[in-house]
Amino acid sequence: MSASPPQPLPLLKRIPPGLWAGLVWFAAALDPIVKYVLMPPRRMYSLSYPRQGLDPLSAKLLLAIAFALVLAGCALLRRRTSLGYGLLLAGTLASTLAWRQDEIPPMQYLGVDVALAYVAAVRPRRSSLNAAAAALATLPCYVLLRQGLGIHDGGVAPEPYIALTVVIGWLLGNSVRQSRLHTEELHAQAAAQAVTAERLRIAREMHDTVAHSIGIIALQAGAAARVMETQPGKAREAMLTVERTGRETLSGLRRMLGALREVNREPAPSPLRPAAGLADVERLVTTTTAAGVRVEVWWQGRRRPLPADIDLAAFRIIQESVTNVVRHSGAGSCRVSVDYGEDELAIEIRDRGTGTGADAEHDTGYGLVGMRERVALLHGDFTAGPRRGGGFLVTARLPLRTKAEAAAG
């Protein structure tokens, strides 16, 4: 089965995460340089970003190192997340020291928060918690560092507000990760359910076809053995039927196995699926009658094309029911009724045999189970059981329209 071409990601998701963090960080870092250093002096000024703050060569070198660290961290954020995140933290700290600020600027720390949200979204919870702890630990570490460098506190400490933004960034990233994991789990469950449904469908197809063919072969071979000496012509005809039925069944199984092996090609229709559904009922009647069980078919209503799934299910129900009559009922005939209604297709198979008319008491009972599953998948009704006057009765009602369509009609 060939893989479908990948859908292009939205534009926002195609932008690297390091670019988002870098845009936020550099916007906050360049704004004071342009506003308070490069622009001509104005009335407005800043105590945190004095014009002479970058006059020392050491301050300029430290700021250049900060920019380089942040650039490297943003570039490595996707491929080596932990290293890139650490460089971004180090660059933020170096930029604050270059200006000899008494506090880390909250706006500039938003770049770290963006990177932390990405870490929480793509890494395991333990790693993201360590990253959040590192961001929170940077705040008191800088308080101790500024005291050692003789930088005095200039007012209300912003550390609690910065810590709050760190927590919010981690919560946002973690929620994205949980949502992605939940989506992946749903996709995995859907894939497993699809595989199970396909296995059940193939099992039903193989059971319906092989069980019918083997039943016909067994009857024809028994008939040929009984009349081999007295009526060699009929024995030869029966054995030719055995050969033809066996070849058809074997050919169908080979096609199915070939289709299942072709995993790198487009999925082909099931080789055991009948070409026309109910149109094959006449062929089924001919084969079954040749095996010694006469089948009468009553068509009611206006015969018309049906949806493929309903057409297939209807044929398989008739085929399996007739096979059960041949194998288990002991009856010489059965009657099949197909009623084309406006809103549903009604199917009825009845016989007057002395057996169960079904395989529930003779083998694994997959025949009735398969029919019931087919009808349930189409939201129909199915019943099967002994008749009061003797024999066995199978009925199935398959809706041709939904309730909404029926009400609209």
Side-chain angles (χ1 to χ4, degrees), residues 40-93:
R42 293 176 294 175
R43 291 185 178 180
M44 58 182 302
Y45 62 92
S46 172
L47 295 177
S48 299
Y49 299 98
R51 301 186 64 87
Q52 67 277 11
L54 296 180
D55 288 346
L57 180 60
S58 60
K60 295 178 182 178
L61 290 176
L62 193 57
L63 187 62
I65 292 174
F67 275 73
L69 289 175
V70 172
L71 278 175
C74 293
L76 294 174
L77 190 59
R78 170 174 287 179
R79 292 175 296 171
R80 303 184 63 180
T81 306
S82 299
L83 178 59
Y85 178 75
L87 292 176
L88 191 60
L89 268 177
T92 303
L93 191 62

Coordinates of all heavy atoms in Angstrom, one line a residue, residues 40-93:
P40 N 19.3 60.1 19.0 CA 19.8 61.3 19.7 C 19.3 61.5 21.1 O 18.2 61.0 21.4 CB 19.3 62.4 18.7 CG 19.1 61.8 17.4 CD 18.7 60.4 17.8
P41 N 20.0 62.1 22.0 CA 19.5 62.3 23.3 C 18.1 63.0 23.4 O 17.9 64.0 22.6 CB 20.6 63.1 24.0 CG 21.8 62.9 23.2 CD 21.3 62.7 21.8
R42 N 17.3 62.5 24.2 CA 15.9 63.1 24.4 C 15.7 63.3 25.9 O 16.5 63.0 26.7 CB 14.9 62.3 23.7 CG 15.0 62.2 22.2 CD 13.9 61.2 21.6 NE 14.3 59.8 22.0 CZ 13.5 58.8 21.8 NH1 12.3 59.0 21.1 NH2 13.8 57.6 22.2
R43 N 14.5 63.8 26.2 CA 14.1 64.0 27.6 C 14.0 62.7 28.3 O 14.3 62.6 29.5 CB 12.8 64.8 27.7 CG 13.0 66.2 27.2 CD 11.6 67.0 27.5 NE 11.8 68.4 27.1 CZ 10.7 69.2 27.2 NH1 9.6 68.8 27.7 NH2 10.9 70.5 26.9
M44 N 13.5 61.7 27.6 CA 13.3 60.4 28.2 C 14.7 59.7 28.4 O 15.5 59.8 27.5 CB 12.3 59.5 27.4 CG 12.7 59.3 26.0 SD 11.5 58.3 25.1 CE 11.4 56.8 26.1
Y45 N 14.8 59.0 29.4 CA 16.0 58.2 29.7 C 15.6 57.0 30.5 O 14.5 56.9 31.0 CB 17.1 59.1 30.4 CG 16.6 59.6 31.8 CD1 16.9 58.8 32.9 CD2 15.9 60.8 31.9 CE1 16.5 59.2 34.2 CE2 15.5 61.2 33.2 CZ 15.8 60.4 34.3 OH 15.4 60.8 35.5
S46 N 16.6 56.1 30.7 CA 16.4 54.9 31.5 C 17.5 54.7 32.4 O 18.7 54.8 32.1 CB 16.3 53.7 30.5 OG 16.2 52.5 31.2
L47 N 17.1 54.3 33.7 CA 18.2 54.0 34.7 C 18.8 52.6 34.4 O 19.9 52.4 34.7 CB 17.5 54.0 36.1 CG 17.1 55.4 36.5 CD1 16.4 55.3 37.9 CD2 18.2 56.4 36.6
S48 N 18.0 51.7 33.8 CA 18.4 50.4 33.5 C 19.3 50.3 32.3 O 20.2 49.5 32.2 CB 17.2 49.4 33.3 OG 16.5 49.4 34.5
Y49 N 19.1 51.3 31.4 CA 19.9 51.3 30.1 C 20.5 52.7 30.0 O 20.1 53.5 29.1 CB 19.0 50.9 28.9 CG 18.4 49.6 29.0 CD1 17.1 49.4 29.4 CD2 19.1 48.4 28.6 CE1 16.5 48.2 29.5 CE2 18.6 47.2 28.6 CZ 17.2 47.1 29.1 OH 16.7 45.8 29.1
P50 N 21.5 53.1 30.8 CA 22.1 54.4 30.6 C 22.9 54.4 29.3 O 23.5 53.4 28.9 CB 23.0 54.5 31.9 CG 23.2 53.1 32.3 CD 22.1 52.3 31.9
R51 N 23.1 55.6 28.7 CA 23.8 55.8 27.5 C 25.3 55.4 27.7 O 25.9 54.9 26.8 CB 23.7 57.2 27.0 CG 22.3 57.7 26.7 CD 22.3 59.1 26.1 NE 22.9 59.1 24.8 CZ 22.3 58.8 23.6 NH1 21.0 58.5 23.7 NH2 22.9 58.8 22.5
Q52 N 25.8 55.7 28.8 CA 27.2 55.3 29.1 C 27.4 53.9 29.5 O 28.5 53.5 29.8 CB 27.8 56.3 30.1 CG 27.3 56.2 31.5 CD 26.0 57.0 31.7 OE1 25.4 57.4 30.7 NE2 25.5 57.1 32.9
G53 N 26.3 53.1 29.6 CA 26.4 51.8 30.1 C 27.3 50.9 29.3 O 27.9 49.9 29.8
L54 N 27.3 51.1 28.0 CA 28.1 50.3 27.0 C 29.4 51.0 26.7 O 30.1 50.5 25.7 CB 27.3 50.0 25.8 CG 26.0 49.1 26.0 CD1 25.3 48.9 24.7 CD2 26.4 47.8 26.6
D55 N 29.8 52.0 27.3 CA 31.1 52.7 27.0 C 32.3 51.8 27.3 O 33.2 51.7 26.5 CB 31.2 54.0 27.7 CG 30.2 55.1 27.2 OD1 29.7 54.8 26.0 OD2 30.0 56.1 27.8
P56 N 32.3 51.1 28.4 CA 33.5 50.2 28.6 C 33.6 49.1 27.5 O 32.6 48.6 27.1 CB 33.3 49.7 30.0 CG 32.3 50.6 30.6 CD 31.4 51.1 29.5
L57 N 34.9 48.9 27.2 CA 35.1 47.8 26.2 C 34.6 46.5 26.7 O 34.1 45.6 25.9 CB 36.6 47.8 25.8 CG 37.0 46.7 24.8 CD1 36.3 47.0 23.5 CD2 38.5 46.7 24.6
S58 N 34.8 46.2 28.0 CA 34.3 44.9 28.5 C 32.8 44.8 28.4 O 32.4 43.7 28.1 CB 34.7 44.9 30.0 OG 34.1 45.9 30.8
A59 N 32.1 45.9 28.5 CA 30.6 45.8 28.4 C 30.3 45.4 26.9 O 29.4 44.6 26.7 CB 30.0 47.1 28.8
K60 N 31.0 46.1 26.0 CA 30.7 45.8 24.6 C 31.0 44.3 24.2 O 30.3 43.6 23.5 CB 31.5 46.7 23.7 CG 31.0 48.2 23.8 CD 31.9 49.1 23.0 CE 31.5 50.6 23.2 NZ 32.3 51.5 22.4
L61 N 32.2 43.8 24.7 CA 32.5 42.4 24.5 C 31.6 41.5 25.1 O 31.2 40.5 24.5 CB 34.0 42.2 25.0 CG 35.1 42.9 24.2 CD1 36.4 42.6 24.9 CD2 35.2 42.4 22.8
L62 N 31.1 41.8 26.3 CA 30.2 40.9 27.0 C 28.8 40.9 26.3 O 28.2 39.8 26.1 CB 30.0 41.4 28.4 CG 29.3 40.4 29.4 CD1 30.0 39.0 29.4 CD2 29.2 40.9 30.8
L63 N 28.4 42.0 25.7 CA 27.2 42.1 25.0 C 27.3 41.3 23.7 O 26.3 40.6 23.3 CB 26.8 43.5 24.7 CG 25.4 43.7 24.1 CD1 24.3 43.2 25.0 CD2 25.1 45.2 23.8
A64 N 28.4 41.4 23.0 CA 28.7 40.7 21.8 C 28.7 39.2 22.1 O 28.1 38.4 21.3 CB 30.0 41.1 21.1
I65 N 29.3 38.8 23.2 CA 29.2 37.4 23.6 C 27.8 36.9 23.8 O 27.4 35.8 23.5 CB 30.1 37.1 24.8 CG1 31.6 37.3 24.5 CG2 29.9 35.7 25.4 CD1 32.5 37.3 25.7
A66 N 27.0 37.8 24.5 CA 25.6 37.4 24.8 C 24.8 37.2 23.5 O 24.1 36.2 23.3 CB 24.9 38.5 25.6
F67 N 25.0 38.1 22.5 CA 24.4 37.9 21.2 C 24.8 36.6 20.5 O 24.0 35.9 19.9 CB 24.7 39.1 20.3 CG 23.7 40.3 20.5 CD1 23.8 41.0 21.7 CD2 22.7 40.6 19.6 CE1 23.0 42.1 21.9 CE2 21.9 41.6 19.8 CZ 22.0 42.4 21.0
A68 N 26.1 36.3 20.6 CA 26.6 35.1 19.9 C 26.0 33.8 20.6 O 25.6 32.9 20.0 CB 28.1 35.1 20.0
L69 N 26.0 33.9 22.0 CA 25.4 32.7 22.7 C 23.9 32.5 22.3 O 23.5 31.4 22.1 CB 25.6 32.9 24.2 CG 27.0 32.9 24.8 CD1 26.9 33.3 26.2 CD2 27.5 31.5 24.6
V70 N 23.2 33.6 22.2 CA 21.8 33.4 21.9 C 21.6 33.0 20.5 O 20.7 32.1 20.2 CB 21.0 34.8 22.2 CG1 19.6 34.7 21.7 CG2 21.1 35.1 23.7
L71 N 22.4 33.5 19.6 CA 22.3 33.0 18.2 C 22.6 31.5 18.1 O 21.9 30.8 17.4 CB 23.3 33.8 17.3 CG 22.8 35.2 16.8 CD1 24.0 35.9 16.1 CD2 21.6 35.0 15.9
A72 N 23.6 31.1 18.7 CA 24.0 29.6 18.7 C 22.9 28.8 19.4 O 22.5 27.7 18.9 CB 25.3 29.4 19.4
G73 N 22.3 29.3 20.5 CA 21.3 28.6 21.2 C 20.0 28.5 20.3 O 19.4 27.4 20.3
C74 N 19.6 29.5 19.7 CA 18.4 29.5 18.8 C 18.7 28.5 17.6 O 17.8 27.8 17.2 CB 18.1 30.9 18.3 SG 17.5 32.0 19.6
A75 N 19.9 28.5 17.1 CA 20.2 27.6 16.0 C 20.2 26.1 16.4 O 19.8 25.2 15.6 CB 21.5 27.9 15.4
L76 N 20.6 25.9 17.6 CA 20.7 24.5 18.1 C 19.4 24.0 18.9 O 19.3 22.9 19.3 CB 21.9 24.3 19.1 CG 23.2 24.5 18.4 CD1 24.3 24.5 19.5 CD2 23.5 23.4 17.4
L77 N 18.4 24.9 19.0 CA 17.3 24.6 19.9 C 16.5 23.3 19.4 O 16.0 22.5 20.2 CB 16.3 25.8 20.0 CG 15.2 25.7 21.0 CD1 15.8 25.5 22.4 CD2 14.3 26.9 20.9
R78 N 16.4 23.1 18.1 CA 15.6 22.0 17.5 C 16.4 20.7 17.6 O 16.0 19.7 17.9 CB 15.1 22.3 16.1 CG 14.5 21.1 15.4 CD 13.9 21.4 14.1 NE 12.6 22.2 14.3 CZ 11.9 22.6 13.3 NH1 12.3 22.4 12.0 NH2 10.8 23.2 13.5
R79 N 17.7 20.8 17.1 CA 18.5 19.6 17.0 C 19.1 19.1 18.3 O 19.1 17.9 18.6 CB 19.7 19.8 16.0 CG 19.2 20.0 14.6 CD 20.4 20.3 13.6 NE 20.9 21.6 14.0 CZ 22.1 22.1 13.5 NH1 22.8 21.4 12.7 NH2 22.5 23.3 13.9
R80 N 19.6 20.1 19.1 CA 20.1 19.7 20.5 C 19.5 20.7 21.5 O 20.0 21.7 21.8 CB 21.7 19.9 20.4 CG 22.4 19.1 19.4 CD 23.9 19.2 19.4 NE 24.4 18.7 20.7 CZ 25.7 18.7 21.1 NH1 26.6 19.1 20.2 NH2 26.1 18.2 22.2
T81 N 18.3 20.2 21.9 CA 17.4 21.1 22.6 C 18.0 21.6 23.9 O 18.0 22.8 24.3 CB 16.1 20.4 22.9 OG1 15.5 19.9 21.6 CG2 15.1 21.3 23.5
S82 N 18.6 20.7 24.7 CA 19.1 21.1 26.0 C 20.3 22.0 25.9 O 20.3 23.0 26.6 CB 19.6 19.8 26.7 OG 18.5 18.9 27.0
L83 N 21.2 21.8 24.9 CA 22.3 22.7 24.8 C 21.8 24.1 24.3 O 22.3 25.1 24.8 CB 23.3 22.1 23.8 CG 24.5 22.9 23.4 CD1 25.3 23.2 24.7 CD2 25.4 22.2 22.4
G84 N 20.9 24.1 23.3 CA 20.4 25.3 22.8 C 19.7 26.1 23.9 O 19.9 27.4 24.0
Y85 N 19.0 25.5 24.7 CA 18.2 26.2 25.8 C 19.2 26.7 26.8 O 19.1 27.8 27.3 CB 17.3 25.2 26.4 CG 16.5 25.8 27.6 CD1 15.5 26.6 27.4 CD2 16.8 25.4 28.9 CE1 14.8 27.2 28.5 CE2 16.1 25.9 30.0 CZ 15.1 26.8 29.8 OH 14.4 27.3 30.8
G86 N 20.3 25.9 27.1 CA 21.3 26.4 28.1 C 22.0 27.6 27.5 O 22.3 28.6 28.3
L87 N 22.4 27.6 26.2 CA 23.1 28.8 25.6 C 22.2 30.0 25.7 O 22.6 31.2 25.9 CB 23.5 28.5 24.2 CG 24.6 27.4 24.0 CD1 24.8 27.2 22.6 CD2 25.9 27.9 24.7
L88 N 20.9 29.8 25.5 CA 19.9 31.0 25.5 C 19.9 31.6 26.9 O 19.9 32.8 27.1 CB 18.6 30.5 25.1 CG 17.5 31.6 24.8 CD1 18.0 32.5 23.8 CD2 16.2 31.0 24.5
L89 N 19.9 30.7 27.9 CA 19.9 31.2 29.3 C 21.2 31.9 29.6 O 21.2 33.0 30.2 CB 19.8 30.0 30.3 CG 18.4 29.6 30.8 CD1 18.4 28.4 31.6 CD2 17.7 30.8 31.5
A90 N 22.3 31.4 29.2 CA 23.6 32.0 29.4 C 23.7 33.4 28.7 O 24.3 34.3 29.2 CB 24.8 31.1 28.9
G91 N 23.2 33.4 27.5 CA 23.2 34.7 26.8 C 22.4 35.8 27.5 O 22.7 37.0 27.5
T92 N 21.2 35.4 28.0 CA 20.4 36.3 28.8 C 21.1 36.9 30.0 O 21.1 38.1 30.3 CB 19.1 35.6 29.2 OG1 18.4 35.1 28.0 CG2 18.2 36.6 29.9
L93 N 21.8 36.0 30.7 CA 22.6 36.4 31.9 C 23.7 37.3 31.5 O 24.0 38.3 32.1 CB 23.1 35.2 32.6 CG 23.7 35.4 34.0 CD1 22.6 35.9 34.9 CD2 24.2 34.1 34.5

